[in-house]
């Protein structure tokens, strides 16, 4: 999990929404090919980030999906997609209890 995600999780807002999630939210999961760093390097589109988010969830990598959602929210602040991804990720993560 990215350091920026851990900082966001420690904020009061995210603590309210993350409370009750299973396991440790700081568990890092390796992603070898389509990392956030790679997508930044190739100047990926919002669609690429959303695709990676969906694949992360299909692969059960909820914390990586959270990294992506937070990055999208930070990078595309005026676009509501970041908030939607974050809300969906949190709801899905709570189902894994």
């Amino acid at each position: 999990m990215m350091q920026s995600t851990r900082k966001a999780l420690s904020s009061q807002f995210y603590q309210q929404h993350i409370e009750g999630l299973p396991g440790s939210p700081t568990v890092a999961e390796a992603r070898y090919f389509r990392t956030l760093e790679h997508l930044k390097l190739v100047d990926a589109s919002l669609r690429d980030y959303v695709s990676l988010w969906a694949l992360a969830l299909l692969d059960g990598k909820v914390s990586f999906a959270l990294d992506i959602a937070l990055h999208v929210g930070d990078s595309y602040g005026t676009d509501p997609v970041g908030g939607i991804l974050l809300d969906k990720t949190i709801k899905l993560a709570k189902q894994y209890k």
Side-chain angles (χ1 to χ4, degrees):
M1 182 174 292
M2 294 179 59
Q3 185 175 6
S4 60
T5 302
R6 287 192 295 272
K7 283 183 182 178
L9 288 174
S10 67
S11 73
Q12 185 177 14
F13 173 79
Y14 290 110
Q15 287 298 326
Q16 292 173 346
H17 297 288
I18 299 296
E19 185 179 329
L21 290 180
S24 171
T26 60
V27 172
E29 296 160 341
R31 300 297 294 186
Y32 295 104
F33 297 108
R34 294 292 182 233
T35 63
L36 288 175
E37 290 76 17
H38 170 79
L39 292 178
K40 290 177 202 174
L41 182 67
V42 298
D43 197 28
S45 68
L46 179 58
R47 179 181 178 195
D48 293 329
Y49 284 103
V50 173
S51 296
L52 182 61
W53 172 83
L55 290 172
L57 288 178
L58 288 172
D59 195 25
K61 308 296 185 198
V62 178
S63 64
F64 184 57
L66 183 59
D67 282 339
I68 297 165
L70 289 169
H71 174 76
V72 169
D74 291 342
S75 299
Y76 298 91
T78 59
D79 195 303
V81 171
I84 293 168
L85 296 182
L86 182 60
D87 290 343
K88 296 289 185 189
T89 305
I90 291 169
K91 286 178 185 174
L92 288 170
K94 287 183 177 183
Q95 291 176 2
Y96 285 114
K97 281 186 175 182

